[in-house]
Amino acid sequence: MDWPADGWDYRAELYEYVTTPPVSRSPVLHHSVELSDTWWHNLHQALDRLSRVPTSREAVREQYIRRRVPEYTGITPGEIAWTTGHGDLHWANLTSPPLSLLDWEGWGAAPVGHDAATLYLHSLPIPDLAERVRVEFAHVLGTPTGRVGELTACTEILQAAARVPFYSDLADSVRQHLDHLS
């Protein structure tokens, strides 16, 4: 559907209607959830397949990383390893069961570990689930290659904290996580 409003042209595209509700109505999880091993396996498969999709789209721009990560984290990122990612992987964009990934307008090239770090940070209010995300994505989280992805995800949340209430609530936990990345 296309429509103009306030001098802008808008387009909404429906690729597939998904009836399964998201894991959470908020991007930040505030309640425990039970996710099966199959669900986690399917998430790994989906992200692995996505990572191999060649694209010129950008989920995160290198200029943003070089400029904003030091500003918000105090850490200068090193070399960036790129992959194709969802770009907005949080609990309001995942369904269960079954798993579906929603909200694809931001997909594209992102630093390795960005999707996993984004999901991890949005899990911080539920320590058991946050730990599960870290275990599930240990192959990138906390690694030198995935560090830039983690720093970028932290930066995005900290930058948005001034204007988005649920990110404001999450900001202190993100800053504590940054202490582990320093």
Side-chain angles (χ1 to χ4, degrees), residues 174-182:
V174 170
R175 286 186 196 95
Q176 288 175 2
H177 177 64
L178 277 171
D179 290 342
H180 300 292
L181 294 177
S182 298

Side-chain angles (χ1 to χ4, degrees), residues 62-71 73-80 111 144 147-149 151-152 155:
E62 182 172 0
Q63 179 183 10
Y64 175 86
I65 295 168
R66 299 282 178 213
R67 185 172 175 199
R68 297 296 184 206
V69 167
E71 179 182 343
T73 69
I75 301 169
T76 301
E79 183 179 340
I80 303 170
R147 186 170 185 255
V148 175
L151 291 169
T152 302
T155 298

